Amino acid sequence: MTQRKTYHVTQRPDKKWQAKAEGASRASAVAQTQAAADKRAADLSRNNGGGEVIRHGRDGSIKDKRTIAPGNDPYPPKG
């Protein structure tokens, strides 16, 4: 089984957005917009067995977190 990865979507100094695996030295993907980088991070996570995508604002603060299937959501919806 593949280790599930956490991807962070952050803005780079050149104003582009990156999707970077936690602990990686290089970005896994670079995009012009945050939405494009976020989608790419979700695709990468899904293709690697699921995990977490954490989206950061321009100031570096966390905007939101989500689990990508087939990841193991620690707070699944009740219903």
Side-chain angles (χ1 to χ4, degrees):
M1 181 189 227
T2 312
Q3 174 93 18
R4 291 191 170 105
K5 289 187 178 178
T6 298
Y7 288 91
H8 293 267
V9 176
T10 57
Q11 192 171 41
R12 298 165 20 137
D14 64 3
K15 303 300 182 198
K16 293 182 182 178
W17 291 86
Q18 66 183 0
K20 188 174 178 181
E22 197 165 86
S25 59
R26 295 176 44 178
S28 300
V30 177
Q32 293 295 323
T33 65
Q34 185 182 37
D38 186 59
K39 182 181 181 326
R40 186 67 180 124
D43 291 343
L44 288 165
S45 183
R46 192 173 298 110
N47 291 340
N48 289 308
E52 300 288 322
V53 173
I54 301 173
R55 194 165 44 132
H56 298 262
R58 285 188 174 96
D59 63 357
S61 64
I62 294 175
K63 288 177 72 173
D64 64 39
K65 297 180 187 182
R66 68 185 197 282
T67 301
I68 304 299
N72 187 11
D73 190 344
Y75 303 104
K78 295 179 181 175

